[in-house]
Coordinates of all heavy atoms in Angstrom, one line a residue:
T358 N -59.1 -58.4 19.5 CA -59.5 -57.2 18.7 C -60.9 -57.3 18.2 O -61.3 -56.6 17.2 CB -58.6 -57.1 17.5 OG1 -58.7 -58.3 16.7 CG2 -57.1 -56.9 17.9
D359 N -61.8 -58.0 19.0 CA -63.2 -58.0 18.7 C -63.5 -58.4 17.3 O -64.3 -57.7 16.5 CB -63.8 -56.6 19.0 CG -63.7 -56.3 20.5 OD1 -63.9 -57.2 21.3 OD2 -63.5 -55.1 20.8
G360 N -62.9 -59.5 16.8 CA -63.3 -60.0 15.5 C -62.5 -59.5 14.4 O -62.9 -59.6 13.2
G361 N -61.3 -58.9 14.6 CA -60.5 -58.4 13.5 C -60.0 -59.6 12.7 O -60.0 -60.8 13.2
L362 N -59.7 -59.4 11.5 CA -59.1 -60.4 10.6 C -57.6 -60.5 10.8 O -56.9 -59.4 10.6 CB -59.5 -60.2 9.1 CG -61.0 -59.9 8.8 CD1 -61.2 -59.8 7.3 CD2 -61.8 -61.1 9.4
A363 N -57.1 -61.6 11.2 CA -55.7 -61.7 11.5 C -55.0 -62.6 10.4 O -55.4 -63.6 10.0 CB -55.5 -62.4 12.9
F364 N -53.8 -62.0 9.9 CA -53.1 -62.7 8.9 C -51.6 -62.8 9.3 O -51.1 -61.9 10.0 CB -53.2 -61.9 7.6 CG -54.6 -61.8 7.0 CD1 -55.4 -60.8 7.4 CD2 -55.0 -62.7 6.0 CE1 -56.7 -60.7 6.9 CE2 -56.3 -62.6 5.5 CZ -57.2 -61.6 6.0
L365 N -51.0 -63.8 8.8 CA -49.5 -64.0 9.0 C -48.9 -63.9 7.6 O -49.1 -64.8 6.7 CB -49.2 -65.4 9.6 CG -47.8 -65.8 9.7 CD1 -47.0 -64.8 10.5 CD2 -47.6 -67.2 10.3
Y366 N -48.0 -62.9 7.4 CA -47.3 -62.8 6.2 C -45.8 -63.1 6.5 O -45.3 -62.7 7.5 CB -47.4 -61.4 5.7 CG -48.6 -61.1 4.9 CD1 -49.8 -60.6 5.6 CD2 -48.7 -61.3 3.5 CE1 -50.9 -60.3 4.9 CE2 -49.9 -61.1 2.8 CZ -51.0 -60.6 3.5 OH -52.2 -60.3 2.8
M367 N -45.2 -63.8 5.6 CA -43.7 -64.1 5.7 C -43.0 -63.7 4.4 O -43.6 -63.6 3.4 CB -43.5 -65.6 5.9 CG -44.2 -66.2 7.1 SD -43.6 -65.5 8.7 CE -42.1 -66.5 8.9
V368 N -41.7 -63.5 4.5 CA -40.9 -63.1 3.4 C -41.0 -64.3 2.4 O -40.7 -65.4 2.8 CB -39.5 -62.8 3.8 CG1 -38.7 -62.5 2.5 CG2 -39.4 -61.6 4.7
A369 N -41.3 -64.0 1.1 CA -41.4 -65.0 0.1 C -40.0 -65.5 -0.3 O -39.2 -64.7 -0.6 CB -42.2 -64.5 -1.1
P370 N -39.7 -66.8 -0.3 CA -38.4 -67.3 -0.5 C -38.0 -67.3 -1.9 O -36.8 -67.4 -2.3 CB -38.4 -68.7 0.1 CG -39.8 -69.1 0.0 CD -40.6 -67.9 0.2
F371 N -38.9 -67.4 -2.9 CA -38.5 -67.6 -4.3 C -38.9 -66.4 -5.2 O -38.8 -66.5 -6.4 CB -39.2 -68.8 -4.8 CG -38.8 -70.1 -4.1 CD1 -39.7 -70.8 -3.4 CD2 -37.5 -70.5 -4.2 CE1 -39.3 -71.9 -2.7 CE2 -37.0 -71.7 -3.5 CZ -37.9 -72.4 -2.8
S372 N -39.3 -65.3 -4.7 CA -39.8 -64.2 -5.5 C -39.1 -62.9 -5.2 O -39.7 -61.8 -5.4 CB -41.3 -64.1 -5.4 OG -41.7 -63.9 -4.1
G373 N -37.9 -62.9 -4.7 CA -37.2 -61.7 -4.4 C -37.8 -61.0 -3.2 O -38.2 -61.7 -2.3
A374 N -37.8 -59.7 -3.2 CA -38.3 -58.9 -2.0 C -39.8 -58.8 -2.1 O -40.3 -57.8 -2.5 CB -37.6 -57.6 -2.0
Q375 N -40.5 -59.8 -1.7 CA -41.9 -59.8 -1.6 C -42.4 -60.6 -0.4 O -41.6 -61.1 0.4 CB -42.5 -60.5 -2.9 CG -42.2 -59.8 -4.2 CD -42.9 -60.4 -5.4 OE1 -43.3 -61.6 -5.4 NE2 -43.1 -59.6 -6.4
R376 N -43.7 -60.6 -0.2 CA -44.3 -61.3 1.0 C -45.3 -62.3 0.5 O -45.8 -62.2 -0.6 CB -44.9 -60.3 2.0 CG -46.0 -59.5 1.3 CD -46.5 -58.4 2.3 NE -47.1 -57.4 1.5 CZ -48.2 -56.7 1.8 NH1 -48.9 -57.0 2.9 NH2 -48.7 -55.8 1.0
Q377 N -45.6 -63.2 1.4 CA -46.6 -64.2 1.1 C -47.5 -64.5 2.3 O -47.0 -64.7 3.4 CB -45.8 -65.5 0.7 CG -46.7 -66.7 0.3 CD -45.9 -67.9 -0.1 OE1 -44.7 -67.8 -0.2 NE2 -46.5 -69.0 -0.3
C378 N -48.8 -64.6 2.1 CA -49.7 -64.9 3.2 C -49.7 -66.4 3.4 O -50.0 -67.2 2.5 CB -51.1 -64.4 2.8 SG -52.3 -64.8 4.1
V379 N -49.3 -66.8 4.6 CA -49.1 -68.2 4.9 C -50.1 -68.8 5.9 O -50.3 -70.0 6.0 CB -47.7 -68.6 5.4 CG1 -46.7 -68.2 4.4 CG2 -47.4 -67.8 6.7
D380 N -50.9 -67.9 6.6 CA -51.9 -68.3 7.5 C -52.8 -67.2 7.9 O -52.4 -66.0 7.7 CB -51.2 -68.8 8.8 CG -52.1 -69.8 9.6 OD1 -53.3 -70.0 9.2 OD2 -51.7 -70.4 10.6
M381 N -54.0 -67.5 8.3 CA -55.0 -66.5 8.6 C -56.0 -67.0 9.6 O -56.2 -68.2 9.7 CB -55.7 -65.9 7.4 CG -56.6 -67.0 6.7 SD -57.4 -66.3 5.2 CE -56.0 -66.3 4.1
A382 N -56.6 -66.1 10.4 CA -57.7 -66.4 11.3 C -58.8 -65.4 11.0 O -58.7 -64.3 11.4 CB -57.3 -66.4 12.7

Side-chain angles (χ1 to χ4, degrees):
T358 56
D359 297 322
L362 306 183
F364 298 84
L365 172 59
Y366 280 93
M367 302 296 280
V368 178
F371 297 113
S372 56
Q375 294 186 337
R376 60 186 156 140
Q377 179 178 357
C378 181
V379 299
D380 202 356
M381 64 182 74

